[in-house]
Amino acid sequence: MNVTRAGGLDLTDVRYISDDTDRRVVDGDVLFNNTNSPVLVGKTALVKSKIPLAFSNHMTRLRPSPAVSSEFLAIQLHWLWRVGYFRSVLKNHVNQASVPAKQLLQTPIVVPPIEEQQRIVEAIDAQLSRLGAADEALAHAKLMAPLQIRSLYTAATEGKFTARVIAESLPDFRKRREEIWKSVNGNKKYKIPVVADISVSPVVPGGWEVLSLEELSDPIRIIRYGILMPRVKFGGTVPYVEVKDLLGCSLQGKELHLTSEELDEKFAGARIRAGDVVLAVRGSYDRSAVVPDSLSSANVSRDVARIAPLPGLEDEYLQIYLQSRFAQQYLKRHARGVAVKGVNIAAIRAMPVVVPPLTVQREIIECVQQRQTAIDAAGEAVARSIRRSATLRQAVLSRAFNGRLVSQRSGDEHASLVIERIRTEVEASRGAEKVARRRRRVKPADVSQAVPSTFSASYETVQQESKL
């Protein structure tokens, strides 16, 4: 409906309470946060308490006239804060901002008849309650996405996506590892890798094999930590991977910090190549990623372990396995520390890895990528819905204070009479209060100029529009 405006009020007319000797609020008062950090200034709260409460000097107490609903006033001030009205009158200080009392009192307020105020509050409550229920469902869906991905990786590495039997034998990883060693080191004594720690056995489908992570990794480019204290103030030229870079379990598109050539050379054995897998081992051990081509010859920090899988073990499969439930439980059991927990290299080398034939590994990778794409698409849909919910909340409040949320009724008191009655009540109240303490007066706003065209102080003309 369209609404014509015939007058209005500001907060001076809605009975402003500023007696510094009385720092109590009672049921029905409205608190306005007028001095705090810039993101908090302008927030409003309705007091609902059967006993008097004290309030902070960062706040201003408002006690509206009986002709103005406390709920209606609190919601309207909240809406003005959301649309950025108070940002235009902020006084910024060092790490703090405030809305001066004069500007606060000149805030234009929409005041329809009390009956319509109550209907608006009820309509807002009903609309926002439905949006709140939707928000809870969306928040739950957002929390479920990482669990769905973990379950996907777990099911894949337990053979649940490959029911058919493949007549393909596994390569002899132990022999292949020793051959690589001899091709580089000749007759130099070969160090036999540790066996898998199967104190807790993983699920092993038929035709698959359990080997330690060390048995599956390059004997020359061994599993190891990276650079101790890699950050330099200036002159860095070599990128290095740290725990924060592994957020999202991908290194694609990440901008890495740079370390010096001297430190990189000192820890040359920790350099990474395309196809390596890097695993966070301190502070967080649920992050890992496959190294892309763009980061070949980069390095890693001391909180990240570099793993170079042998031929026959797909890097993407190893990444999936490290994110499976069994691998994460293994790392959690072996984490040590008080403030910041970490997993030592010995435990990582002994981690049991369930390895299927190469053809099965590739099928698993393809299947996981397809299903993860669907999960990611669902996550994006949830994110869009969360953003849309915020927009709908704003729309509900905007329609409420533009006179388009509820219909008017012929029996409602005329807005001009409401305004006149409020001013009479307030003047009478002020006369009584002067006996206790003379209050500082603030010149009322010229509401005809201060009230935006989208506001309304009276509700006279009604035209039916589509509902929300």
Side-chain angles (χ1 to χ4, degrees), residues 123-394:
I124 290 174
D125 285 345
Q127 297 280 6
L128 296 189
S129 293
R130 286 194 286 271
L131 283 173
D135 285 345
E136 289 182 5
L138 290 171
H140 178 71
K142 186 177 180 179
L143 288 174
M144 288 298 294
L147 299 178
Q148 289 176 324
I149 292 175
R150 183 84 70 209
S151 297
L152 172 64
Y153 292 167
T154 301
T157 55
E158 290 180 352
K160 295 180 180 177
F161 294 164
T162 53
R164 67 189 183 91
V165 177
I166 297 178
E168 180 184 347
S169 60
L170 281 164
D172 189 339
F173 286 103
R174 296 184 181 94
K175 182 179 179 181
R176 182 171 292 180
R177 189 176 191 276
E178 188 172 357
E179 288 173 349
I180 293 174
W181 168 269
K182 289 182 178 179
S183 68
V184 176
N185 295 300
N187 293 325
K188 189 176 179 180
K189 185 177 180 181
Y190 172 64
K191 183 181 177 181
I192 299 175
V194 297
V195 297
D197 175 5
I198 54 172
S199 53
V200 178
S201 299
V203 176
V204 186
W208 298 24
E209 189 175 352
V210 179
L211 296 167
S212 72
L213 191 53
E214 187 174 32
E215 290 176 312
L216 294 166
S217 62
D218 192 307
I220 309 301
R221 303 178 62 246
I222 61 173
I223 301 171
R224 58 165 293 170
Y225 302 124
I227 303 172
L228 178 64
M229 300 179 66
R231 183 164 298 188
V232 292
K233 291 184 179 180
F234 54 87
T237 57
V238 180
Y240 66 92
V241 177
E242 50 190 333
V243 174
K244 71 174 183 61
D245 301 317
L246 297 175
L247 183 64
C249 292
S250 174
L251 286 172
Q252 296 289 351
K254 301 291 178 68
E255 293 186 7
L256 308 184
H257 284 128
L258 303 177
T259 190
S260 65
E261 292 182 6
E262 291 78 10
L263 283 172
D264 174 60
E265 186 61 35
K266 183 178 179 180
F267 292 87
R271 289 172 183 158
I272 55 179
R273 300 176 186 171
D276 287 348
V277 177
V278 286
L279 170 69
V281 295
R282 182 173 171 80
S284 175
Y285 37 81
D286 61 348
R287 301 179 185 183
S288 58
V290 175
V291 177
D293 293 338
S294 59
L295 293 182
S296 287
S297 299
N299 216 309
V300 294
S301 74
R302 181 54 59 99
D303 299 332
V304 175
R306 187 274 318 276
I307 305 164
L310 289 172
L313 176 62
E314 291 285 330
D315 50 15
E316 291 285 353
Y317 174 80
L318 179 57
Q319 155 68 5
I320 292 169
Y321 185 83
L322 290 175
Q323 291 300 313
S324 69
R325 189 171 293 114
F326 175 81
Q328 287 297 306
Q329 289 173 347
Y330 175 89
L331 293 170
K332 185 176 181 180
R333 284 196 304 271
H334 288 82
R336 299 291 182 267
V338 180
V340 180
K341 290 190 174 183
V343 184
N344 62 45
I345 285 294
I348 294 171
R349 290 171 178 165
M351 174 189 285
V353 179
V354 182
V355 186
L358 189 58
T359 303
V360 177
Q361 292 180 44
R362 291 169 179 167
E363 284 187 0
I364 288 172
I365 293 168
E366 183 179 357
C367 183
V368 166
Q369 289 175 344
Q370 291 174 352
R371 299 192 184 198
Q372 187 163 354
T373 298
I375 294 174
D376 291 342
E380 291 175 3
V382 168
R384 287 195 301 270
S385 296
I386 291 173
R387 292 192 295 270
R388 185 169 180 267
S389 175
T391 302
L392 287 173
R393 286 176 178 273
Q394 186 72 7

